[in-house]
Amino acid sequence: MDLIQEANISCPYCGEPISVLLDGSAGEQQYIEDCQVCCRPMLLQVRVDADGYCTVEARDENEV
């Protein structure tokens, strides 16, 4: 399994599809990344399963 994986998500603000790179070696993580289209900050929550595959959820920075 590659440690760096590419994932496709939709921006929670503008809805545009974008691609993000995920680092599976860092384990589960949560961080802010700006949308490549509208430049608004998205909260990305990355989960890594037992096989090293990453899944990511993008949310509005103010979403609880």
Side-chain angles (χ1 to χ4, degrees):
M1 177 83 269
D2 292 333
L3 294 179
I4 302 296
Q5 301 169 42
E6 184 175 5
N8 296 311
I9 60 173
S10 293
C11 173
Y13 296 100
C14 68
E16 290 292 322
I18 58 174
S19 177
V20 293
L21 292 177
L22 308 173
D23 182 1
S25 68
E28 293 192 8
Q29 52 194 307
Q30 184 172 308
Y31 59 94
I32 301 288
E33 184 168 321
D34 290 342
C35 173
Q36 300 159 4
V37 178
C38 71
C39 299
R40 294 189 67 188
M42 304 175 293
L43 177 64
L44 299 182
Q45 185 166 1
V46 180
R47 292 184 179 88
V48 183
D49 69 13
D51 295 324
Y53 289 100
C54 297
T55 58
V56 61
E57 179 183 350
R59 295 185 306 196
D60 176 321
E61 178 187 40
N62 300 316
E63 195 174 315
V64 179

